[in-house]
Amino acid sequence: MSVTPLISMRNIDKRFPGVHALKGVSFELLPGEVHALMGENGAGKSTLMKILSGIYPRDGGEILVGGTPAEIDSPRAAQSHGLAIIHQELALMNDLTVAQNIFIGREPRLSFGRLDEKALNRNARDIFAKLNLHLDPKTQVGTLTIARQQLVEIAKALSFKSRVLVMDEPTAALNDREIDELFIIIRQLKAEGVGIVYISHKMDELKRIADRVTVMRDGATVGTVSAADTPVSEIIRMMVGRELGAETVDIPDLAAAPPLLEVRGLTRGRAVRDVSFSVRQGEILGFAGLMGAGRTEVARAIFGADRKNGGEILVHGKALTIRSPADAVAAGIGYLSEDRKHFGLALGMDVKDNVALATMTDFVSRVGAINDARMRATARTFIDRLRIRTPSERQEVRFLSGGNQQKVVIAKWLLRNCDILIFDEPTRGIDVGAKSEIYRLLTDLAAEGRAIIVISSELPEVLRLSHRIAVMCEGRLTGILPGGPGTTQEDIMDLATRRAPAMEPAFPPPPTPETRAPR
Amino acid sequence: MTTADTPQGGALSRIGSAGAMQKMLAFGSLVLLLVGFSLASPQFMQVSNIIAILQATSVNGVLAVAVTLVIITGGIDLSVGTMMTFCAVISGVVLTYWGLPLPFGVLAAIGAGAFCGLCSGTFVAKLKIPPFIATLGMMLILKGLALVISGTRPIYFNDTPGFDLISRGSLIGWVFPSLPIPNGVLILFLVALLVAYILGRTVLGRYTFALGSNEEAVRLSGVNVDAWKIGIYALSGAIVGVAGILIASRLNSAQPALGLGYELEAIAAVVIGGTSLSGGRGTVLGTVIGALIMAVLTNGLRILSVAQEWQTVVTGAIIILAVYADQARRRKG
């Protein structure tokens, strides 16, 4: 190829405490190319892009921009090299207008430091015109849809005359029409010679928009292939390192097992509508569905983290009133949030304190002091049992890898003796090796007689783990499928996109107060 | 993404080491100030002057220890100054107006403080009012109530013999005549020990740090966050009650117009001592050193005949410098 690549990353190496995140990764982007970067969560895509955009320093390797070596040591340096990254979480100021957002820090000025609002809006309008985008520069960003806000980010990136655009899962929150609109703009940028790094999990999108695909696994590049000529199954094989469905779930016979958790008619606004299901002792119930289907909301409502409008929750066959997480925990329910850093861990505290966070009062001596020695010993037994990789129980959890952080949260609930555990995206941000460990752990926990709920957006994960699979769409439970090889991803997707209930409710509707039997 | 989310090589430090650094920094500054002032003036290192400094530290120190608790939870308390006055007035009512014996006056002040803290805590935890606003409101309410209850006049403790000895007497000096350290300092020492113990060794203390570190995670761990938070504010309030007794004893009167401004000095001492205003870390020892720095500074500058107005300017500059040093060090780490 005679064209000089816009970007060449060669043998990039990066280590975090306890994790070798990138092992000599190479990546190349040509002008006018949409280069998809694929890989399972934790494969190293985001780390690679954070190094490219100057957020992380690299430990080894070199980066060439337009053929010359470049030192990208800050986001500002990346900007000056014509690199722009559009993160999944948008970095816009909701209370400012579209134009003010695009030109923040570079506002056109009049004399005496007065702002030239007219020029500001005119410049924004010029950019929109180039993109064939119909958007009023004076609109407040907070009033726009997520899709439009994303376009504002793209416009902002282009206003820097960026030659390279990194898009991290740009379609995650978009509907089909918005995706079409985005792709039109991407094609336009392509035609102008802009290179685009496109991070996504969605195979159909790759086929539509990408020229080449680079697959990463376990912090290394597996290979770069042409998007048009490579079958999807081949790309998936590259991602997971094995044919899908190689590992199947062992489904125990649970006919005699009593239900530990029963949920009847659970309702919360429009997010959760009349959801009923039960989980038996020893069972893993998977929860599948598209983003925003209401699975996390179901979990949070059961756990008492959010108020519910209606519905009954029975634990061990007894109806309980759960108003707060404290009530839920007292009933033996543990919830492991998808966002460990915000909802699961006190990051600045050490492993032992986090393990004991739900059982602190058990470690108090008669004079009211915490028995730290006992707490440390307890933490050490969990470090051994769950194989948590940490220098000691005194290590702050923010220095642990995602998988080990997750294990700390699991330890917290095991210590609390919770026999109903709700895992929300248990392997998000966890590398592949740790993932299978978490899978084994979940299977073991169920085998010990706990009831496990696993919410996951990754269908292979749901199929790999679940004894039964509950599928949600738009706040409704649209069906419960049996686990095992008989159920395919297509079966799940069918229910996940079904807009009306496809099955009889698992239980009759809750009795009205008049007909309820006196206790 | 916050910096806390970013794993950093070489930053595998033990818990609290960041706070320890700042404490060292504060301690170093204190030593530097002591050396500097004693070189500048022979008067400075005299026993009587050292005792005056310690005496001046006692009230602000106790207040600062009280605020430390709240600040570690990620909150702030602007009401401790007027709360202290309110507690002093309450003890004046109990001792002078009602003529009850001394212990009742002390208990009334501590109880009043605990109740005020309970109110602040309830506003923050239950009504979800930001701590800044809730305690700003309490600050004004208590200022007003202190004036109303006292009829805007000072209440004197002339009928309660021994009241002034609570702060000005010297138990230590009675045992060791060569060490006439006033009781106020002893009380500060005991309060600091108690709170350091609570923070380091009890569930309440552990939750204080946990709340400041990640309140939502604590809540989702099934901990009754609201109740613990109210408890922390109440404990803080009780300690403010102790400060109320100390200042009333030192002046042998409850001065209802006093109090405003003390809260800022207390917060300044906490900040100089290395407690993070964003919560999650901090130490009592740091706070006490912070309070000492402020007292030494005021005293030293006065001995050098620096005008009162300039003393305030210097104090302000020191606060900015202390926090800047902390920030700069953290950015490097």
Side-chain angles (χ1 to χ4, degrees):
Chain A
M1 246 177 281
S2 58
V3 196
T4 314
L6 286 171
I7 297 286
S8 270
M9 300 181 82
R10 293 178 187 162
N11 292 318
I12 302 293
D13 221 69
K14 180 71 190 169
R15 287 170 189 274
F16 294 125
V19 194
H20 196 171
L22 295 178
K23 305 163 188 164
V25 173
S26 295
F27 181 80
E28 197 185 70
L29 182 68
L30 298 174
E33 174 188 44
V34 175
H35 195 150
L37 190 55
M38 300 206 64
E40 293 191 301
N41 289 334
K45 298 163 295 180
S46 309
T47 310
L48 187 69
M49 287 306 117
K50 278 178 180 161
I51 286 174
L52 181 63
S53 54
I55 296 172
Y56 290 161
R58 64 180 187 277
D59 295 337
E62 59 174 349
I63 301 176
L64 278 66
V65 178
T68 46
E71 215 37 69
I72 301 172
D73 49 10
S74 68
R76 184 174 279 270
Q79 217 172 57
S80 68
H81 280 108
L83 310 176
I85 185 161
I86 293 162
H87 293 280
Q88 238 173 313
E89 291 117 44
L90 302 174
L92 294 170
M93 289 136 284
N94 284 337
D95 299 320
L96 300 189
T97 70
V98 169
Q100 286 166 349
N101 263 285
I102 292 176
F103 291 104
I104 188 83
R106 302 168 294 151
E107 294 83 356
R109 292 179 189 193
L110 300 169
S111 53
F112 303 111
R114 288 173 301 143
L115 288 171
D116 189 350
E117 207 73 28
K118 269 193 198 129
L120 184 79
N121 291 328
R122 199 171 50 235
N123 294 350
R125 216 170 280 129
D126 288 348
I127 296 175
F128 295 156
K130 247 190 263 169
L131 288 172
N132 284 327
L133 194 62
H134 301 288
L135 197 57
D136 180 0
K138 291 182 212 157
T139 320
Q140 230 185 40
V141 161
T143 64
L144 296 174
T145 61
I146 298 287
R148 298 245 117 187
Q149 292 185 6
Q150 212 157 37
L151 296 178
V152 173
E153 281 269 31
I154 294 174
K156 182 175 173 184
L158 294 177
S159 74
F160 284 101
K161 312 252 180 298
S162 300
R163 305 296 300 154
V164 175
L165 214 54
V166 180
M167 298 178 148
D168 192 357
E169 305 230 17
T171 56
L174 306 192
N175 64 33
D176 287 346
R177 203 177 46 75
E178 292 166 334
I179 291 175
D180 290 343
E181 199 176 343
L182 177 71
F183 281 3
I184 291 173
I185 288 175
I186 290 180
R187 289 200 185 94
Q188 227 168 324
L189 295 172
K190 236 176 93 134
E192 287 164 26
V194 174
I196 292 167
V197 182
Y198 192 93
I199 300 177
S200 176
H201 284 303
K202 300 188 186 165
M203 294 295 168
D204 57 321
E205 284 176 13
L206 297 189
K207 288 285 176 190
R208 281 174 65 190
I209 199 78
D211 300 306
R212 289 196 294 168
V213 180
T214 290
V215 177
M216 290 182 69
R217 187 175 71 224
D218 261 336
T221 327
V222 180
T224 301
V225 295
S226 150
D229 308 335
T230 316
V232 167
S233 62
E234 170 68 11
I235 296 176
I236 293 179
R237 196 195 54 74
M238 289 168 74
M239 278 169 60
V240 298
R242 58 185 144 76
E243 294 292 344
L244 261 187
E247 282 182 82
T248 49
V249 55
D250 262 343
I251 299 176
D253 180 16
L254 297 166
L260 269 190
L261 173 73
E262 289 167 75
V263 174
R264 298 180 186 170
L266 187 69
T267 300
R268 171 178 162 76
R270 297 179 56 80
V272 179
R273 307 186 210 177
D274 194 21
V275 168
S276 302
F277 65 90
S278 70
V279 198
R280 288 174 188 278
Q281 189 173 1
E283 184 177 41
I284 300 180
L285 178 67
F287 257 84
L290 299 173
M291 273 226 301
R295 295 164 300 161
T296 297
E297 287 76 6
V298 167
R300 287 181 59 95
I302 293 173
F303 191 60
D306 293 328
R307 214 177 277 273
K308 44 188 165 290
N309 304 122
E312 261 192 315
I313 292 167
L314 289 80
V315 175
H316 289 288
K318 271 206 316 224
L320 293 178
T321 314
I322 294 175
R323 284 211 190 81
S324 70
D327 294 341
V329 171
I333 304 174
Y335 171 60
L336 291 87
S337 164
E338 59 184 316
D339 190 342
R340 291 182 289 277
K341 285 173 181 169
H342 284 119
F343 301 126
L345 294 164
L347 283 176
M349 301 184 87
D350 57 19
V351 172
K352 97 183 135 51
D353 282 340
N354 273 287
V355 168
L357 201 53
T359 35
M360 203 64 90
T361 42
D362 294 355
F363 290 95
V364 176
S365 69
R366 232 166 286 132
V367 287
I370 287 179
N371 188 338
D372 252 335
R374 197 151 60 82
M375 194 188 279
R376 291 176 67 172
T378 306
R380 274 198 299 271
T381 61
F382 278 103
I383 288 172
D384 290 344
R385 182 172 153 202
L386 305 185
R387 293 202 280 152
I388 302 172
R389 270 180 292 277
T390 170
S392 87
E393 71 281 359
R394 300 287 306 276
Q395 176 75 310
E396 282 178 54
V397 291
R398 66 194 164 112
F399 295 123
L400 303 188
S401 70
N404 288 305
Q405 289 182 344
Q406 181 68 294
K407 289 181 189 172
V408 170
V409 184
I410 293 175
K412 171 173 81 181
W413 293 122
L414 292 184
L415 180 57
R416 191 63 179 74
N417 262 327
C418 287
D419 46 13
I420 300 163
L421 292 173
I422 307 173
F423 290 85
D424 200 346
E425 304 286 356
T427 60
R428 176 161 292 175
I430 289 175
D431 54 49
V432 181
K435 223 174 201 176
S436 56
E437 255 186 275
I438 299 275
Y439 290 161
R440 194 163 352 124
L441 199 56
L442 293 189
T443 310
D444 290 349
L445 291 175
E448 286 167 16
R450 292 186 176 81
I452 310 279
I453 294 175
V454 176
I455 299 170
S456 175
S457 298
E458 293 173 43
L459 292 183
E461 180 166 292
V462 172
L463 288 167
R464 161 83 177 70
L465 282 172
S466 312
H467 302 160
R468 282 188 304 150
I469 300 162
V471 188
M472 287 189 70
C473 175
E474 293 177 343
R476 277 191 218 87
L477 193 63
T478 45
I480 297 185
L481 299 165
T487 301
T488 63
Q489 300 201 12
E490 286 72 28
D491 295 339
I492 296 175
M493 285 313 292
D494 179 40
L495 284 172
T497 52
R498 202 173 283 188
R499 306 210 135 179
M503 58 172 275
E504 296 291 307
F507 293 92
T512 53
E514 299 87 65
T515 60
R516 189 174 299 175
R519 247 178 253 142
Chain B
M1 180 171 276
T2 62
T3 49
D5 298 355
T6 316
Q8 283 166 334
L12 287 157
S13 50
R14 292 280 290 252
I15 185 167
S17 74
M21 244 328 261
Q22 173 75 3
K23 224 165 33 188
M24 288 296 290
L25 214 69
F27 187 71
S29 323
L30 179 59
V31 171
L32 220 66
L33 280 177
L34 289 175
V35 171
F37 280 129
S38 45
L39 288 178
S41 163
Q43 270 174 283
F44 182 78
M45 264 304 175
Q46 278 169 11
V47 174
S48 62
N49 190 50
I50 296 296
I51 284 173
I53 291 175
L54 290 174
Q55 180 72 287
T57 310
S58 61
V59 169
N60 187 31
V62 171
L63 274 187
V65 168
V67 187
T68 304
L69 281 168
V70 171
I71 289 181
I72 293 176
T73 67
I76 189 84
D77 195 339
L78 297 176
S79 65
V80 293
T82 57
M83 191 192 294
M84 172 183 77
T85 303
F86 176 77
C87 295
V89 166
I90 292 292
S91 74
V93 167
V94 169
L95 295 175
T96 302
Y97 289 1
W98 298 351
L100 291 174
L102 182 61
F104 288 97
V106 174
L107 287 179
I110 294 175
F115 179 75
C116 295
L118 195 88
C119 293
S120 297
T122 307
F123 298 154
V124 173
K126 291 286 180 197
L127 308 187
K128 311 288 175 212
I129 299 170
F132 189 94
I133 308 293
T135 59
L136 181 71
M138 282 300 281
M139 170 176 102
L140 295 172
I141 289 171
L142 294 172
K143 182 189 174 193
L145 283 181
L147 289 167
V148 169
I149 292 173
S150 65
T152 72
R153 281 185 307 274
I155 307 175
Y156 293 93
F157 293 95
N158 296 330
D159 303 336
T160 313
F163 187 79
D164 60 329
L165 293 180
I166 294 178
S167 167
R168 289 192 286 197
S170 176
L171 211 60
I172 300 177
W174 183 62
V175 181
F176 306 104
S178 57
L179 272 178
I181 293 171
N183 289 340
V185 180
L186 183 67
I187 290 171
L188 165 62
F189 182 71
L190 293 177
V191 165
L193 264 188
L194 177 74
V195 174
Y197 180 81
I198 289 173
L199 277 178
R201 298 301 308 276
T202 69
V203 176
L204 184 77
R206 202 59 56 93
Y207 284 156
T208 306
F209 285 104
L211 285 177
S213 185
N214 189 346
E215 180 171 334
E216 195 55 21
V218 180
R219 187 170 85 98
L220 292 179
S221 295
V223 175
N224 190 342
V225 164
D226 291 355
W228 287 101
K229 201 188 260 181
I230 293 171
I232 294 164
Y233 275 85
L235 173 65
S236 169
I239 298 166
V240 173
V242 174
I245 291 292
L246 280 181
I247 193 152
S249 159
R250 197 158 95 197
L251 304 171
N252 205 22
S253 62
Q255 301 283 347
L258 202 81
L260 221 52
Y262 276 77
E263 67 283 337
L264 296 181
E265 295 218 357
I267 293 168
V270 174
V271 167
I272 292 173
T275 293
S276 163
L277 276 184
S278 47
R281 42 190 208 105
T283 59
V284 173
L285 180 59
T287 295
V288 171
I289 292 174
L292 275 171
I293 287 181
M294 294 191 55
V296 165
L297 209 65
T298 312
N299 177 285
L301 292 175
R302 193 185 304 139
I303 284 183
L304 297 183
S305 310
V306 175
Q308 172 102 47
E309 304 82 81
W310 281 107
Q311 293 174 20
T312 320
V313 175
V314 172
T315 312
I318 292 285
I319 291 169
I320 291 171
L321 212 68
V323 176
Y324 169 72
D326 188 34
Q327 295 287 348
R329 192 187 42 69
R330 211 174 313 167
R331 231 173 295 137
K332 252 193 302 171

PDB file of all heavy atoms in Angstrom, chain A residues 16-34:
ATOM      1  N   PHE A  16      -1.328  -2.270  33.907  1.00  0.00           N
ATOM      2  CA  PHE A  16      -1.913  -1.705  35.110  1.00  0.00           C
ATOM      3  C   PHE A  16      -1.531  -2.641  36.240  1.00  0.00           C
ATOM      4  O   PHE A  16      -1.186  -3.787  35.990  1.00  0.00           O
ATOM      5  CB  PHE A  16      -3.438  -1.628  34.986  1.00  0.00           C
ATOM      6  CG  PHE A  16      -3.897  -0.666  33.940  1.00  0.00           C
ATOM      7  CD1 PHE A  16      -4.744  -1.074  32.920  1.00  0.00           C
ATOM      8  CD2 PHE A  16      -3.482   0.654  33.959  1.00  0.00           C
ATOM      9  CE1 PHE A  16      -5.169  -0.191  31.954  1.00  0.00           C
ATOM     10  CE2 PHE A  16      -3.901   1.542  32.987  1.00  0.00           C
ATOM     11  CZ  PHE A  16      -4.743   1.117  31.987  1.00  0.00           C
ATOM     12  N   PRO A  17      -1.613  -2.149  37.492  1.00  0.00           N
ATOM     13  CA  PRO A  17      -1.292  -3.050  38.596  1.00  0.00           C
ATOM     14  C   PRO A  17      -2.108  -4.337  38.468  1.00  0.00           C
ATOM     15  O   PRO A  17      -3.333  -4.302  38.455  1.00  0.00           O
ATOM     16  CB  PRO A  17      -1.702  -2.244  39.827  1.00  0.00           C
ATOM     17  CG  PRO A  17      -1.596  -0.823  39.393  1.00  0.00           C
ATOM     18  CD  PRO A  17      -1.900  -0.795  37.931  1.00  0.00           C
ATOM     19  N   GLY A  18      -1.440  -5.461  38.319  1.00  0.00           N
ATOM     20  CA  GLY A  18      -2.131  -6.740  38.270  1.00  0.00           C
ATOM     21  C   GLY A  18      -2.650  -7.150  36.901  1.00  0.00           C
ATOM     22  O   GLY A  18      -3.128  -8.245  36.722  1.00  0.00           O
ATOM     23  N   VAL A  19      -2.613  -6.272  35.920  1.00  0.00           N
ATOM     24  CA  VAL A  19      -3.125  -6.608  34.596  1.00  0.00           C
ATOM     25  C   VAL A  19      -2.127  -6.186  33.524  1.00  0.00           C
ATOM     26  O   VAL A  19      -1.630  -5.058  33.547  1.00  0.00           O
ATOM     27  CB  VAL A  19      -4.462  -5.859  34.285  1.00  0.00           C
ATOM     28  CG1 VAL A  19      -5.126  -6.479  33.071  1.00  0.00           C
ATOM     29  CG2 VAL A  19      -5.368  -5.876  35.480  1.00  0.00           C
ATOM     30  N   HIS A  20      -1.848  -7.085  32.594  1.00  0.00           N
ATOM     31  CA  HIS A  20      -1.085  -6.698  31.423  1.00  0.00           C
ATOM     32  C   HIS A  20      -2.115  -6.350  30.351  1.00  0.00           C
ATOM     33  O   HIS A  20      -2.583  -7.217  29.632  1.00  0.00           O
ATOM     34  CB  HIS A  20      -0.190  -7.860  30.985  1.00  0.00           C
ATOM     35  CG  HIS A  20       0.882  -7.436  30.034  1.00  0.00           C
ATOM     36  ND1 HIS A  20       1.904  -8.255  29.658  1.00  0.00           N
ATOM     37  CD2 HIS A  20       1.084  -6.270  29.386  1.00  0.00           C
ATOM     38  CE1 HIS A  20       2.697  -7.609  28.804  1.00  0.00           C
ATOM     39  NE2 HIS A  20       2.207  -6.411  28.636  1.00  0.00           N
ATOM     40  N   ALA A  21      -2.490  -5.097  30.271  1.00  0.00           N
ATOM     41  CA  ALA A  21      -3.668  -4.712  29.484  1.00  0.00           C
ATOM     42  C   ALA A  21      -3.413  -4.769  27.981  1.00  0.00           C
ATOM     43  O   ALA A  21      -4.289  -5.149  27.210  1.00  0.00           O
ATOM     44  CB  ALA A  21      -4.130  -3.318  29.888  1.00  0.00           C
ATOM     45  N   LEU A  22      -2.252  -4.346  27.542  1.00  0.00           N
ATOM     46  CA  LEU A  22      -1.920  -4.402  26.120  1.00  0.00           C
ATOM     47  C   LEU A  22      -0.562  -5.070  25.952  1.00  0.00           C
ATOM     48  O   LEU A  22       0.409  -4.682  26.588  1.00  0.00           O
ATOM     49  CB  LEU A  22      -1.885  -2.986  25.517  1.00  0.00           C
ATOM     50  CG  LEU A  22      -3.193  -2.209  25.477  1.00  0.00           C
ATOM     51  CD1 LEU A  22      -2.957  -0.831  24.894  1.00  0.00           C
ATOM     52  CD2 LEU A  22      -4.262  -2.947  24.691  1.00  0.00           C
ATOM     53  N   LYS A  23      -0.544  -6.083  25.085  1.00  0.00           N
ATOM     54  CA  LYS A  23       0.702  -6.822  24.898  1.00  0.00           C
ATOM     55  C   LYS A  23       1.190  -6.638  23.467  1.00  0.00           C
ATOM     56  O   LYS A  23       0.874  -7.419  22.580  1.00  0.00           O
ATOM     57  CB  LYS A  23       0.476  -8.312  25.170  1.00  0.00           C
ATOM     58  CG  LYS A  23      -0.125  -8.598  26.537  1.00  0.00           C
ATOM     59  CD  LYS A  23      -0.701 -10.001  26.606  1.00  0.00           C
ATOM     60  CE  LYS A  23      -1.476 -10.185  27.909  1.00  0.00           C
ATOM     61  NZ  LYS A  23      -2.356 -11.365  27.864  1.00  0.00           N
ATOM     62  N   GLY A  24       1.896  -5.555  23.223  1.00  0.00           N
ATOM     63  CA  GLY A  24       2.468  -5.328  21.901  1.00  0.00           C
ATOM     64  C   GLY A  24       1.425  -5.224  20.797  1.00  0.00           C
ATOM     65  O   GLY A  24       1.499  -5.921  19.801  1.00  0.00           O
ATOM     66  N   VAL A  25       0.471  -4.351  20.980  1.00  0.00           N
ATOM     67  CA  VAL A  25      -0.623  -4.218  20.016  1.00  0.00           C
ATOM     68  C   VAL A  25      -0.226  -3.265  18.891  1.00  0.00           C
ATOM     69  O   VAL A  25       0.381  -2.223  19.135  1.00  0.00           O
ATOM     70  CB  VAL A  25      -1.883  -3.691  20.710  1.00  0.00           C
ATOM     71  CG1 VAL A  25      -2.972  -3.398  19.692  1.00  0.00           C
ATOM     72  CG2 VAL A  25      -2.370  -4.694  21.739  1.00  0.00           C
ATOM     73  N   SER A  26      -0.550  -3.651  17.645  1.00  0.00           N
ATOM     74  CA  SER A  26      -0.325  -2.763  16.511  1.00  0.00           C
ATOM     75  C   SER A  26      -1.648  -2.479  15.825  1.00  0.00           C
ATOM     76  O   SER A  26      -2.521  -3.349  15.742  1.00  0.00           O
ATOM     77  CB  SER A  26       0.643  -3.405  15.511  1.00  0.00           C
ATOM     78  OG  SER A  26       1.903  -3.555  16.134  1.00  0.00           O
ATOM     79  N   PHE A  27      -1.777  -1.246  15.349  1.00  0.00           N
ATOM     80  CA  PHE A  27      -3.041  -0.838  14.742  1.00  0.00           C
ATOM     81  C   PHE A  27      -2.760   0.272  13.747  1.00  0.00           C
ATOM     82  O   PHE A  27      -1.905   1.120  13.968  1.00  0.00           O
ATOM     83  CB  PHE A  27      -3.990  -0.330  15.839  1.00  0.00           C
ATOM     84  CG  PHE A  27      -5.328   0.098  15.332  1.00  0.00           C
ATOM     85  CD1 PHE A  27      -6.316  -0.846  15.043  1.00  0.00           C
ATOM     86  CD2 PHE A  27      -5.623   1.444  15.122  1.00  0.00           C
ATOM     87  CE1 PHE A  27      -7.554  -0.457  14.574  1.00  0.00           C
ATOM     88  CE2 PHE A  27      -6.857   1.833  14.648  1.00  0.00           C
ATOM     89  CZ  PHE A  27      -7.820   0.886  14.379  1.00  0.00           C
ATOM     90  N   GLU A  28      -3.470   0.240  12.631  1.00  0.00           N
ATOM     91  CA  GLU A  28      -3.188   1.183  11.560  1.00  0.00           C
ATOM     92  C   GLU A  28      -4.497   1.734  11.000  1.00  0.00           C
ATOM     93  O   GLU A  28      -5.476   0.999  10.863  1.00  0.00           O
ATOM     94  CB  GLU A  28      -2.437   0.432  10.460  1.00  0.00           C
ATOM     95  CG  GLU A  28      -1.719   1.304   9.480  1.00  0.00           C
ATOM     96  CD  GLU A  28      -1.134   0.428   8.382  1.00  0.00           C
ATOM     97  OE1 GLU A  28      -1.926  -0.103   7.578  1.00  0.00           O
ATOM     98  OE2 GLU A  28       0.097   0.283   8.329  1.00  0.00           O
ATOM     99  N   LEU A  29      -4.490   3.010  10.684  1.00  0.00           N
ATOM    100  CA  LEU A  29      -5.703   3.623  10.129  1.00  0.00           C
ATOM    101  C   LEU A  29      -5.346   4.415   8.883  1.00  0.00           C
ATOM    102  O   LEU A  29      -4.466   5.280   8.903  1.00  0.00           O
ATOM    103  CB  LEU A  29      -6.342   4.553  11.180  1.00  0.00           C
ATOM    104  CG  LEU A  29      -7.633   5.240  10.768  1.00  0.00           C
ATOM    105  CD1 LEU A  29      -8.764   4.235  10.628  1.00  0.00           C
ATOM    106  CD2 LEU A  29      -8.006   6.319  11.769  1.00  0.00           C
ATOM    107  N   LEU A  30      -6.035   4.094   7.767  1.00  0.00           N
ATOM    108  CA  LEU A  30      -5.756   4.777   6.496  1.00  0.00           C
ATOM    109  C   LEU A  30      -6.718   5.944   6.305  1.00  0.00           C
ATOM    110  O   LEU A  30      -7.808   5.958   6.878  1.00  0.00           O
ATOM    111  CB  LEU A  30      -5.909   3.785   5.341  1.00  0.00           C
ATOM    112  CG  LEU A  30      -4.965   2.589   5.364  1.00  0.00           C
ATOM    113  CD1 LEU A  30      -5.318   1.609   4.257  1.00  0.00           C
ATOM    114  CD2 LEU A  30      -3.519   3.052   5.239  1.00  0.00           C
ATOM    115  N   PRO A  31      -6.333   6.895   5.463  1.00  0.00           N
ATOM    116  CA  PRO A  31      -7.264   7.996   5.171  1.00  0.00           C
ATOM    117  C   PRO A  31      -8.518   7.446   4.489  1.00  0.00           C
ATOM    118  O   PRO A  31      -8.427   6.558   3.648  1.00  0.00           O
ATOM    119  CB  PRO A  31      -6.475   8.884   4.206  1.00  0.00           C
ATOM    120  CG  PRO A  31      -5.063   8.472   4.334  1.00  0.00           C
ATOM    121  CD  PRO A  31      -5.046   7.055   4.785  1.00  0.00           C
ATOM    122  N   GLY A  32      -9.653   7.969   4.860  1.00  0.00           N
ATOM    123  CA  GLY A  32     -10.895   7.571   4.214  1.00  0.00           C
ATOM    124  C   GLY A  32     -11.352   6.171   4.555  1.00  0.00           C
ATOM    125  O   GLY A  32     -12.175   5.588   3.853  1.00  0.00           O
ATOM    126  N   GLU A  33     -10.829   5.654   5.655  1.00  0.00           N
ATOM    127  CA  GLU A  33     -11.164   4.280   6.032  1.00  0.00           C
ATOM    128  C   GLU A  33     -12.011   4.267   7.303  1.00  0.00           C
ATOM    129  O   GLU A  33     -11.777   5.040   8.221  1.00  0.00           O
ATOM    130  CB  GLU A  33      -9.871   3.509   6.288  1.00  0.00           C
ATOM    131  CG  GLU A  33     -10.085   2.103   6.822  1.00  0.00           C
ATOM    132  CD  GLU A  33      -8.787   1.430   7.246  1.00  0.00           C
ATOM    133  OE1 GLU A  33      -7.959   2.086   7.917  1.00  0.00           O
ATOM    134  OE2 GLU A  33      -8.617   0.261   6.921  1.00  0.00           O
ATOM    135  N   VAL A  34     -12.997   3.352   7.308  1.00  0.00           N
ATOM    136  CA  VAL A  34     -13.659   3.053   8.573  1.00  0.00           C
ATOM    137  C   VAL A  34     -13.086   1.740   9.065  1.00  0.00           C
ATOM    138  O   VAL A  34     -13.267   0.700   8.437  1.00  0.00           O
ATOM    139  CB  VAL A  34     -15.194   2.952   8.421  1.00  0.00           C
ATOM    140  CG1 VAL A  34     -15.815   2.532   9.737  1.00  0.00           C
ATOM    141  CG2 VAL A  34     -15.764   4.279   7.960  1.00  0.00           C
TER     142      VAL A  34
END
